[in-house]
Amino acid sequence: MASLNRLALRSLPTLAAAQQSLSTGAAAFSVGSFSRSSTHPLFIPSHISAHRQFNNHSVMRTYATTPSPQTPSGSDILASYSSDSHIGQNVAHAMEMLAKADAVCFDVDSTVIDEEGIDVLADTLGKGPEVTAWTTKAMNGNIKFEDALAARLAIIKPSKTDIANCLEKHPLRLSPGVDRLVEALHKRGTDVYLVSGGFRLMIEPVANVLGVSHDRIYANTITFDENGDYTGFDSNEPTSADQGKPKALTMIKEKYGYKTMVMVGDGATDAQAKPPADAFVGFGGVVARAAVKEKACWFVHDFETMIDIVNKNSK
């Protein structure tokens, strides 16, 4: 635990109020061209740091939003862009849903960040190739997610110290543009969730950077004994099993009464989330998976057009 505190303090010198939440999950990130092995402190883009509020172990943003005209139709939105550059089963529908979404849920690994967190952790423990093979099977939909999760954790059995050392030595990197997309969604009053088959302990620092409160994280919880050694994972988390993401999104939608929800992700488990999501945007900026491209309403390789649609369509 001491190493976690030292890492958090070094990475967040001006964010003392976040220290307690980071004591359970060390944070180290770089964005864009920063190397994963960089020794730079936690990077927070200047255009979002001014809006940050730290309170009760989470990071929240508050914005004033103004009424806007009725959302244009999906066909009108699509027509404003070069149609040749957009692919998917129903691009116009996805664009319209994004334009008026009151909640957007993001997968984390290979979407919000540009790698698979569990693979990075496995690499630091000398188990990379074995774990990566299981990850590929799970993301392509060739095996039930719960089986792949259990198999990978059985291989690496990470302790709290292992995770802290991993985040210190190999800072996770945000995918280019995702910070601006989340910023744009927050600015117009759209709620953002991180719904992941990854580990809460590794995702909470990502949420801190993006300004997503910890109660909007739906992810897996690794369990430890009193010495911090691995004992297993919480099978009650909705994302710990196949069809977990539609279950998580259903819980979110029913709890908060959202009318329009969009799911963004790179894997087969993300595609499963429609429904209850009203649209699924497949992301291929890190790994372009054929099975995901076939199922996506709209398949993108970067976040630029999504950012533009959100900025042009306030709720």
Side-chain angles (χ1 to χ4, degrees):
M1 295 303 294
S3 63
L4 288 173
N5 285 324
R6 287 197 300 271
L7 175 59
L9 289 172
R10 189 190 70 211
S11 298
L12 294 169
T14 64
L15 309 181
Q19 178 185 356
Q20 185 175 352
S21 79
L22 289 178
S23 67
T24 58
F29 291 85
S30 56
V31 179
S33 62
F34 283 114
S35 169
R36 188 201 300 167
S37 60
S38 170
T39 57
H40 288 283
L42 176 65
F43 175 78
I44 300 178
S46 59
H47 70 282
I48 65 176
S49 61
H51 302 288
R52 202 61 50 88
Q53 295 182 352
F54 290 84
N55 184 32
N56 196 25
H57 312 294
S58 63
V59 188
M60 295 292 292
R61 285 197 187 94
T62 56
Y63 293 95
T65 58
T66 56
S68 63
Q70 185 176 358
T71 301
S73 69
S75 57
D76 288 340
I77 297 173
L78 179 58
S80 68
Y81 298 98
S82 172
S83 59
D84 294 338
S85 63
H86 299 288
I87 58 175
Q89 298 299 314
N90 195 338
V91 177
H93 171 75
M95 288 181 167
E96 182 175 343
M97 294 303 99
L98 177 63
K100 65 182 183 181
D102 45 9
V104 176
C105 300
F106 289 86
D107 177 39
V108 176
D109 297 308
S110 295
T111 300
V112 170
I113 63 173
D114 70 354
E115 52 201 340
E116 294 287 328
I118 191 170
D119 293 348
V120 175
L121 179 58
D123 281 340
T124 67
L125 299 175
K127 303 289 186 179
E130 193 173 355
V131 168
T132 298
W134 281 99
T135 299
T136 301
K137 291 178 183 178
M139 293 302 99
N140 288 334
N142 297 330
I143 189 173
K144 286 187 176 181
F145 182 81
E146 59 264 37
D147 294 337
L149 178 63
R152 289 177 291 177
L153 283 173
I155 293 169
I156 58 178
K157 297 180 180 178
S159 67
K160 281 188 176 181
T161 300
D162 290 334
I163 294 173
N165 289 339
C166 170
L167 291 173
E168 182 172 13
K169 295 176 181 178
H170 303 280
L172 302 176
R173 301 174 304 231
L174 292 178
S175 294
V178 71
D179 58 321
R180 292 186 292 114
L181 176 54
V182 172
E183 175 75 1
L185 289 165
H186 277 151
K187 189 172 183 179
R188 78 167 190 185
T190 300
D191 291 339
V192 172
Y193 291 82
L194 302 180
V195 182
S196 173
F199 307 129
R200 180 176 296 274
L201 197 59
M202 299 179 77
I203 291 171
E204 285 178 350
V206 181
N208 289 346
V209 173
L210 294 175
V212 176
S213 64
H214 292 186
D215 63 351
R216 291 180 179 169
I217 299 172
Y218 286 72
N220 289 311
T221 301
I222 300 176
T223 56
F224 306 96
D225 63 19
E226 62 275 9
N227 297 318
D229 293 326
Y230 172 80
T231 59
F233 64 94
D234 185 357
S235 60
N236 292 318
E237 295 281 10
T239 55
S240 68
D242 200 45
Q243 296 295 327
K245 291 187 178 179
K247 183 177 180 180
L249 265 65
T250 296
M251 293 168 60
I252 294 168
K253 207 168 191 178
E254 290 179 351
K255 182 175 182 179
Y256 297 103
Y258 295 119
K259 294 182 179 179
T260 307
M261 179 180 284
V262 173
M263 180 72 201
V264 183
D266 72 294
T269 58
D270 304 309
Q272 292 174 347
K274 177 186 179 295
D278 298 281
F280 167 56
V281 179
F283 181 68
V286 179
V287 180
R289 308 182 196 278
V292 174
K293 186 181 294 188
E294 291 173 0
K295 296 177 181 178
C297 301
W298 178 21
F299 191 81
V300 302
H301 290 277
D302 59 57
F303 295 115
E304 296 307 315
T305 302
M306 295 179 70
I307 294 168
D308 191 57
I309 290 173
V310 172
N311 283 333
K312 289 178 179 177
N313 295 277
S314 298
K315 292 199 303 177

